[in-house]
Amino acid sequence: MPMNSTAPAADQELAWQENALCAQVGPEFFFPAPGSSTREAKQLCDACDGRVACLEYALANDERFGVWGGLSEKERGRLRRSRIQRRSRRP
């Protein structure tokens, strides 16, 4: 049976999830109802060692809902657009 050569890379890419603080609370914490506060979720993210990896995962996988890596949907959209603009200005 052939081995999947991408499996180790995928496992490594998601290793941050094993110790992520978000795993200790329910998903509703990070996917609040529209208009609800995201403050508590962002505070938990700020204390998490996996925050940067989580944010990069969300950006790379175009996660459109919830708090990921300490940023809301709108904040990730602004960050994504800012990165695109910076890339387009490079020589």
Side-chain angles (χ1 to χ4, degrees), residues 15-78:
W16 58 269
Q17 291 181 345
E18 290 180 26
N19 298 316
L21 294 178
C22 59
Q24 300 174 20
V25 297
E28 64 279 351
F29 199 73
F30 295 92
F31 297 91
S36 297
S37 175
T38 59
R39 184 182 59 215
E40 292 87 8
K42 289 178 178 183
Q43 287 174 336
L44 191 62
C45 289
D46 285 342
C48 184
D49 291 338
R51 188 182 82 71
V52 173
C54 176
L55 177 59
E56 292 304 325
Y57 172 85
L59 293 170
N61 292 282
D62 200 25
E63 291 290 347
R64 302 218 178 189
F65 302 101
V67 175
W68 289 82
L71 297 183
S72 68
E73 300 97 334
K74 289 181 182 179
E75 292 166 328
R76 287 193 309 278
R78 285 193 294 267

